[in-house]
Amino acid sequence: MNRYSLNTIVGLVGVGLCLVFTAAAEPRSSKNSFGIIPMPLSIEAKKEHRFGITGATSIVYLGEKSRASAEYLQSRIAAAVGLKLAIHKSGGTNAIILKVAPEIIEFPEDDAYYFESSGDKITITGKSESGLFYGVQTLFQLLPPGIYADTPVQGMELTVDALTIKDKPSMGKIRGLHVDISRHFRTKQELLKIINSMAMHKLNTLHLHLTDVQGWRVEIKAYPKLTTVGAIGNKSDPEAPAKFLTQEEVREITAFAQSRYVSIIPEIDMPGHMGAAIRAYPELKHPMDERDPAKVIRGDALARDFAKKVLIEINDLFDPEFIHLGFDEVNHGAKEKLYTDAQLLDLAREMTTFIKDDLKKTPIVWDDAFMHGFHDKDTVVHWWRYGKNYWWRNLPNMVDEELNQRRQPFIMSPAYWTYFDMPNVKPEEGYPGWAKPISTAEVYNWDPYGDMRGVTADTPKLALGAIACTWSEQIITMKDFGDRTFPRLASYSERIWRGGKSEAPSILSWDDYRDRVLIPYQLKRYDALGVWYWSKNNPDLLKSLGDARKTLR
């Protein structure tokens, strides 16, 4: 699981060096949570000496459950500083002590942790192994941003203020990022880099959109033409050479994700968005879909058998807790209705039952199926639509209202706040995005529950979490990905870890967050990590981005 060295994953962007290793203009204090992103639940400064990490410092792990985080901490310091700290199973002074002790942590969330630092030691206690890992991420953020570099930095002072931190996530189950590798492909190395950046933000779920009209991006042994034919092309060039993840690459990505406590949700969208599969196997095409290219597969035994064989291999490859089936926009754009509601619900029932009963996993569907009448509390609904006017008809309730009324388990991805394929700001020319631009400030000011309709006391129990989406029609390169994802991902992580105003009324204003946390600390971490971000080549864009909040009626 930990066989990967970080210096094989992350490259250092040289142009960021001048930013990374200069002192932050904003001093660390309780008022800016000492520069930690996402900001912790509680942090208290103590009147004690700072702790200094030197060659004589050791890493102590108490119990085997702490060993992986100890090795991860050792490798990161070695990569960034060239200092390999000794690891021991016991010790008490001049040490970083790591332990998993759920009985000590007062919070119920598995990802909770305590952090205690003083002049002679640092103690990080996790509710679980993942909680300990997030405590280590907090330690990294209390060090200079250069700790994220993979070229050893000479003279970097590794000191940590004397602090007491108690922290837990608002959303404990799913704090996710969606990556669409169908419209434009992301390689194994690029996905590993994305996972690494997710860990920095304490995100724990990668939603991989593996297939669509533009390309099938995962090897399936039972149907080899899905990649030899279906992987040809992308949104920009339908004749581009085939690109896809081999099964061995999927296993490597999954193992690396596990080492960063990131679970993967694979999505095979059906029966719509199946153009690549139809190119590979034309017999799958719905007989009434006359479009070129066709997008919808048939609903008979032939197609159902195909789907089940694909899902068996997907389950074996990823061994996920959840499998996403899509079921969105099935009739959208067709000249006539390809599936009646009854036919769609019949197919949804069979496929979700197969996932539950045969694969022993939990199915997910987009909210289209739910609003067409698919109501199953053992299937998770992925909410993205906001409003009552849908392409198929006007509905009496918004999706979020209906979810709450029916007490339906769901994941939230409301497009007007979490669709990061939308531009950051309105472009001077070109496509502004169907959901309109979403600024880093608007994401920061999003209130996941406060901005939801029909909220009750049970809503946080129904919500498994949130996923920010990066649909890749306009995301061609990794630079494009960085421009759309960062630093919005920092704002997003604040809201799903710390909660919105309705949960945490004392959170910083956008102006204070931007000037006292985001710019002086997080952007420098991005520079060290080697990721591109919006405003990197024009810092005034972020500096001038005023307080803004999206409200929809």
Side-chain angles (χ1 to χ4, degrees), residues 376-406:
D376 173 19
K377 289 183 171 57
D378 294 321
T379 295
V380 177
V381 172
H382 197 164
W383 164 46
W384 70 278
R385 295 180 183 275
Y386 207 98
K388 296 181 180 180
N389 186 17
Y390 300 148
W391 57 267
W392 66 89
R393 67 174 181 266
N394 294 331
L395 296 173
N397 294 322
M398 294 187 182
V399 176
D400 44 349
E401 291 177 309
E402 195 81 12
L403 291 167
N404 282 303
Q405 288 179 13
R406 292 185 177 274

Side-chain angles (χ1 to χ4, degrees), residues 414-427 432-433 435-447 451 468 483-495 510-511 513-514 518 534-535 540-551:
Y416 288 92
W417 288 282
T418 65
Y419 268 36
F420 289 176
D421 49 308
M422 299 298 112
N424 289 270
V425 295
K426 186 176 180 179
K436 301 181 181 179
I438 306 170
S439 73
T440 305
E442 288 170 326
V443 177
Y444 182 78
N445 287 325
W446 174 46
D447 188 334
D451 288 323
D483 188 76
R484 296 300 174 96
T485 305
F486 309 103
R488 286 192 286 200
L489 200 66
S491 290
Y492 167 76
S493 73
E494 297 288 354
R495 298 292 66 84
W510 160 251
D511 291 342
Y513 180 74
R514 178 197 61 207
L518 192 60
W534 179 79
S535 79
D540 288 339
L541 286 174
L542 188 60
K543 290 177 182 177
S544 62
L545 192 62
D547 200 6
R549 174 172 168 75
K550 272 197 172 185
T551 56

Side-chain angles (χ1 to χ4, degrees), residues 1 23 71 219 273 336 430 509:
M1 181 178 293
E71 293 174 347
E219 179 186 17
H273 292 272
E336 55 184 305
S509 69

Side-chain angles (χ1 to χ4, degrees), residues 445-467:
N445 287 325
W446 174 46
D447 188 334
Y449 296 121
D451 288 323
M452 190 179 190
R453 301 293 181 96
V455 171
T456 71
D458 291 329
T459 300
K461 300 173 187 175
L462 297 172
L464 276 69
I467 296 176

